[in-house]
Every structure is written in structure tokens, then in C-alpha cells.
Short mmCIF file of all heavy atoms in Angstrom, two decimals:
data_model
loop_
_atom_site.label_atom_id
_atom_site.label_comp_id
_atom_site.label_asym_id
_atom_site.label_seq_id
_atom_site.Cartn_x
_atom_site.Cartn_y
_atom_site.Cartn_z
N ALA A 1 19.36 -10.58 12.75
CA ALA A 1 19.58 -11.76 11.90
C ALA A 1 20.99 -11.75 11.30
O ALA A 1 21.67 -12.79 11.26
CB ALA A 1 18.55 -11.76 10.80
N LEU A 2 21.47 -10.57 10.93
CA LEU A 2 22.85 -10.51 10.36
C LEU A 2 23.86 -10.80 11.41
O LEU A 2 24.90 -11.47 11.16
CB LEU A 2 23.05 -9.10 9.77
CG LEU A 2 22.35 -8.84 8.43
CD1 LEU A 2 22.45 -7.37 8.06
CD2 LEU A 2 22.95 -9.72 7.33
N GLN A 3 23.64 -10.32 12.64
CA GLN A 3 24.57 -10.59 13.72
C GLN A 3 24.65 -12.08 13.97
O GLN A 3 25.75 -12.66 14.14
CB GLN A 3 24.17 -9.85 14.98
CG GLN A 3 24.65 -8.44 15.09
CD GLN A 3 24.80 -8.01 16.53
OE1 GLN A 3 24.00 -8.35 17.36
NE2 GLN A 3 25.80 -7.21 16.80
N TYR A 4 23.54 -12.75 14.03
CA TYR A 4 23.51 -14.20 14.26
C TYR A 4 24.15 -14.95 13.10
O TYR A 4 24.89 -15.93 13.29
CB TYR A 4 22.08 -14.66 14.56
CG TYR A 4 22.01 -16.11 14.91
CD1 TYR A 4 22.56 -16.59 16.11
CD2 TYR A 4 21.35 -17.04 14.07
CE1 TYR A 4 22.47 -17.91 16.47
CE2 TYR A 4 21.29 -18.39 14.43
CZ TYR A 4 21.86 -18.82 15.63
OH TYR A 4 21.79 -20.13 15.96
N ALA A 5 23.85 -14.52 11.88
CA ALA A 5 24.40 -15.17 10.70
C ALA A 5 25.92 -15.09 10.69
O ALA A 5 26.59 -16.00 10.23
CB ALA A 5 23.80 -14.54 9.43
N GLY A 6 26.43 -13.97 11.20
CA GLY A 6 27.90 -13.77 11.21
C GLY A 6 28.62 -14.76 12.11
O GLY A 6 29.83 -14.93 12.01
N GLN A 7 27.87 -15.43 13.00
CA GLN A 7 28.48 -16.38 13.91
C GLN A 7 28.53 -17.78 13.32
O GLN A 7 29.05 -18.71 13.93
CB GLN A 7 27.71 -16.41 15.24
CG GLN A 7 27.64 -15.08 15.97
CD GLN A 7 26.68 -15.07 17.12
OE1 GLN A 7 26.26 -16.16 17.60
NE2 GLN A 7 26.31 -13.92 17.61
N ARG A 8 27.96 -17.95 12.10
CA ARG A 8 27.87 -19.26 11.50
C ARG A 8 28.54 -19.26 10.14
O ARG A 8 28.56 -18.27 9.43
CB ARG A 8 26.41 -19.67 11.33
CG ARG A 8 25.58 -19.53 12.60
CD ARG A 8 24.13 -19.93 12.33
NE ARG A 8 24.03 -21.31 11.98
CZ ARG A 8 23.65 -22.28 12.83
NH1 ARG A 8 23.37 -21.96 14.09
NH2 ARG A 8 23.58 -23.54 12.46
N LEU A 9 29.09 -20.40 9.76
CA LEU A 9 29.67 -20.59 8.44
C LEU A 9 29.00 -21.82 7.83
O LEU A 9 29.65 -22.79 7.44
CB LEU A 9 31.18 -20.77 8.53
CG LEU A 9 32.01 -19.53 8.82
CD1 LEU A 9 33.49 -19.90 8.94
CD2 LEU A 9 31.81 -18.48 7.70
N ASP A 10 27.68 -21.76 7.72
CA ASP A 10 26.95 -22.92 7.16
C ASP A 10 25.77 -22.37 6.31
O ASP A 10 25.62 -21.17 6.13
CB ASP A 10 26.47 -23.85 8.24
CG ASP A 10 25.60 -23.13 9.31
OD1 ASP A 10 25.19 -21.98 9.06
OD2 ASP A 10 25.35 -23.72 10.37
N LEU A 11 24.97 -23.28 5.81
CA LEU A 11 23.87 -22.90 4.92
C LEU A 11 22.83 -22.02 5.68
O LEU A 11 22.33 -21.03 5.14
CB LEU A 11 23.20 -24.17 4.35
CG LEU A 11 21.99 -23.89 3.42
CD1 LEU A 11 22.45 -23.10 2.22
CD2 LEU A 11 21.39 -25.22 3.00
N LEU A 12 22.55 -22.38 6.93
CA LEU A 12 21.61 -21.61 7.71
C LEU A 12 22.13 -20.17 7.89
O LEU A 12 21.37 -19.20 7.81
CB LEU A 12 21.39 -22.23 9.08
CG LEU A 12 20.49 -21.46 10.03
CD1 LEU A 12 19.08 -21.28 9.41
CD2 LEU A 12 20.37 -22.18 11.40
N GLY A 13 23.44 -20.00 8.11
CA GLY A 13 24.02 -18.69 8.23
C GLY A 13 23.84 -17.88 6.96
O GLY A 13 23.52 -16.68 7.01
N ALA A 14 24.03 -18.53 5.81
CA ALA A 14 23.85 -17.83 4.51
C ALA A 14 22.40 -17.41 4.33
O ALA A 14 22.13 -16.26 3.86
CB ALA A 14 24.33 -18.74 3.39
N VAL A 15 21.47 -18.29 4.69
CA VAL A 15 20.06 -17.95 4.53
C VAL A 15 19.70 -16.79 5.44
O VAL A 15 19.00 -15.84 5.05
CB VAL A 15 19.20 -19.18 4.84
CG1 VAL A 15 17.70 -18.82 4.89
CG2 VAL A 15 19.40 -20.26 3.79
N LEU A 16 20.14 -16.84 6.67
CA LEU A 16 19.86 -15.77 7.63
C LEU A 16 20.47 -14.46 7.17
O LEU A 16 19.88 -13.38 7.35
CB LEU A 16 20.41 -16.14 9.02
CG LEU A 16 19.60 -17.13 9.82
CD1 LEU A 16 20.36 -17.51 11.09
CD2 LEU A 16 18.23 -16.57 10.20
N ALA A 17 21.65 -14.50 6.54
CA ALA A 17 22.26 -13.27 6.04
C ALA A 17 21.42 -12.65 4.94
O ALA A 17 21.23 -11.41 4.92
CB ALA A 17 23.69 -13.59 5.51
N VAL A 18 20.90 -13.45 4.05
CA VAL A 18 20.05 -12.93 2.99
C VAL A 18 18.76 -12.34 3.51
O VAL A 18 18.35 -11.24 3.18
CB VAL A 18 19.74 -14.03 1.94
CG1 VAL A 18 18.72 -13.54 0.93
CG2 VAL A 18 21.01 -14.50 1.23
N VAL A 19 18.18 -13.10 4.47
CA VAL A 19 16.92 -12.62 5.09
C VAL A 19 17.20 -11.32 5.87
O VAL A 19 16.43 -10.35 5.80
CB VAL A 19 16.34 -13.72 6.02
CG1 VAL A 19 15.20 -13.13 6.84
CG2 VAL A 19 15.88 -14.90 5.20
N GLY A 20 18.30 -11.28 6.60
CA GLY A 20 18.60 -10.09 7.39
C GLY A 20 18.86 -8.89 6.49
O GLY A 20 18.39 -7.76 6.80
N LEU A 21 19.62 -9.06 5.41
CA LEU A 21 19.89 -7.95 4.51
C LEU A 21 18.60 -7.42 3.86
O LEU A 21 18.40 -6.21 3.72
CB LEU A 21 20.89 -8.37 3.44
CG LEU A 21 22.34 -8.40 3.85
CD1 LEU A 21 23.19 -9.04 2.74
CD2 LEU A 21 22.89 -7.02 4.18
N THR A 22 17.73 -8.35 3.50
CA THR A 22 16.47 -7.95 2.88
C THR A 22 15.63 -7.15 3.85
O THR A 22 15.06 -6.10 3.53
CB THR A 22 15.70 -9.19 2.37
OG1 THR A 22 16.50 -9.94 1.49
CG2 THR A 22 14.39 -8.79 1.71
N ALA A 23 15.49 -7.68 5.09
CA ALA A 23 14.73 -6.98 6.11
C ALA A 23 15.32 -5.62 6.45
O ALA A 23 14.60 -4.63 6.59
CB ALA A 23 14.62 -7.84 7.37
N LEU A 24 16.64 -5.55 6.54
CA LEU A 24 17.33 -4.31 6.86
C LEU A 24 17.09 -3.27 5.77
O LEU A 24 16.77 -2.09 6.06
CB LEU A 24 18.81 -4.54 7.08
CG LEU A 24 19.64 -3.36 7.45
CD1 LEU A 24 19.17 -2.75 8.78
CD2 LEU A 24 21.12 -3.72 7.58
N ALA A 25 17.28 -3.70 4.54
CA ALA A 25 17.10 -2.74 3.40
C ALA A 25 15.65 -2.24 3.35
O ALA A 25 15.40 -1.04 3.15
CB ALA A 25 17.46 -3.43 2.06
N ALA A 26 14.71 -3.16 3.52
CA ALA A 26 13.30 -2.73 3.48
C ALA A 26 12.96 -1.82 4.66
O ALA A 26 12.20 -0.83 4.49
CB ALA A 26 12.39 -3.98 3.51
N GLY A 27 13.48 -2.10 5.82
CA GLY A 27 13.18 -1.27 7.00
C GLY A 27 13.80 0.09 6.97
O GLY A 27 13.25 1.08 7.38
N LEU A 28 15.07 0.15 6.44
CA LEU A 28 15.79 1.43 6.39
C LEU A 28 15.24 2.42 5.39
O LEU A 28 15.34 3.62 5.57
CB LEU A 28 17.26 1.19 6.14
CG LEU A 28 18.10 0.58 7.26
CD1 LEU A 28 19.53 0.42 6.85
CD2 LEU A 28 18.01 1.42 8.53
N ARG A 29 14.68 1.92 4.31
CA ARG A 29 14.28 2.80 3.21
C ARG A 29 13.40 3.95 3.66
O ARG A 29 13.61 5.09 3.31
CB ARG A 29 13.64 2.00 2.12
CG ARG A 29 13.37 2.80 0.83
CD ARG A 29 12.86 1.91 -0.30
NE ARG A 29 12.65 2.71 -1.49
CZ ARG A 29 11.52 3.40 -1.75
NH1 ARG A 29 10.54 3.37 -0.84
NH2 ARG A 29 11.41 4.11 -2.86
N PRO A 30 12.35 3.66 4.45
CA PRO A 30 11.50 4.81 4.90
C PRO A 30 12.05 5.54 6.11
O PRO A 30 11.44 6.56 6.50
CB PRO A 30 10.15 4.10 5.24
CG PRO A 30 10.52 2.76 5.62
CD PRO A 30 11.71 2.39 4.78
N LEU A 31 13.14 5.08 6.67
CA LEU A 31 13.67 5.70 7.91
C LEU A 31 14.78 6.70 7.63
O LEU A 31 15.06 7.53 8.49
CB LEU A 31 14.18 4.62 8.88
CG LEU A 31 13.15 3.60 9.34
CD1 LEU A 31 13.82 2.58 10.28
CD2 LEU A 31 11.98 4.30 10.04
N LEU A 32 15.45 6.59 6.48
CA LEU A 32 16.56 7.44 6.16
C LEU A 32 16.15 8.42 5.08
O LEU A 32 15.22 8.21 4.31
CB LEU A 32 17.74 6.60 5.65
CG LEU A 32 18.31 5.54 6.62
CD1 LEU A 32 19.49 4.79 5.97
CD2 LEU A 32 18.72 6.15 7.91
N PRO A 33 16.85 9.58 4.99
CA PRO A 33 16.50 10.56 3.96
C PRO A 33 16.64 9.98 2.56
O PRO A 33 17.51 9.15 2.31
CB PRO A 33 17.53 11.67 4.20
CG PRO A 33 17.98 11.53 5.62
CD PRO A 33 17.89 10.04 5.93
N ARG A 34 15.77 10.40 1.70
CA ARG A 34 15.87 9.95 0.32
C ARG A 34 17.26 10.33 -0.28
O ARG A 34 17.67 11.45 -0.12
CB ARG A 34 14.78 10.59 -0.52
CG ARG A 34 13.40 10.08 -0.30
CD ARG A 34 12.42 10.56 -1.36
NE ARG A 34 11.06 10.15 -1.13
CZ ARG A 34 10.14 10.88 -0.53
NH1 ARG A 34 10.46 12.12 -0.10
NH2 ARG A 34 8.92 10.46 -0.33
N GLY A 35 17.87 9.38 -0.91
CA GLY A 35 19.18 9.68 -1.53
C GLY A 35 20.37 9.40 -0.62
O GLY A 35 21.50 9.78 -0.97
N THR A 36 20.13 8.79 0.57
CA THR A 36 21.24 8.55 1.45
C THR A 36 22.26 7.61 0.84
O THR A 36 23.48 7.84 0.92
CB THR A 36 20.73 7.89 2.79
OG1 THR A 36 19.87 8.85 3.46
CG2 THR A 36 21.88 7.57 3.73
N VAL A 37 21.82 6.52 0.20
CA VAL A 37 22.77 5.59 -0.42
C VAL A 37 23.53 6.25 -1.54
O VAL A 37 24.73 5.99 -1.73
CB VAL A 37 22.03 4.36 -0.92
CG1 VAL A 37 22.95 3.42 -1.69
CG2 VAL A 37 21.37 3.62 0.23
#
């Protein structure tokens, strides 16, 4: 979603960027060691 959002400079791109970041953060949390950030 973030990759696709990066190809756009419109409202849909901004929405996709937010959705992509949210999904990425939620997905990475259980996949990386605690305290990585």
C-alpha cells in the first residue's frame, strides 16, 4: 500500500499511505524483537 501510495500525489494516495503505515506497524510489532524501535 505504501509503494502504491508513493506513486500518487492525491487524496487517495494520502489515505493509502495512512492505511499502509498502520498495517505495517501492526504487522511488524510481533515480528521484530521487542525494543527494536
Side-chain angles (χ1 to χ4, degrees):
L2 286 170
Q3 276 207 322
Y4 184 66
Q7 301 170 15
R8 310 178 63 100
L9 285 176
D10 55 14
L11 180 59
L12 177 59
V15 171
L16 283 174
V18 172
V19 171
L21 281 173
T22 303
L24 182 60
L28 286 181
R29 188 174 182 275
L31 300 179
L32 301 180
R34 289 191 182 97
T36 297
V37 175

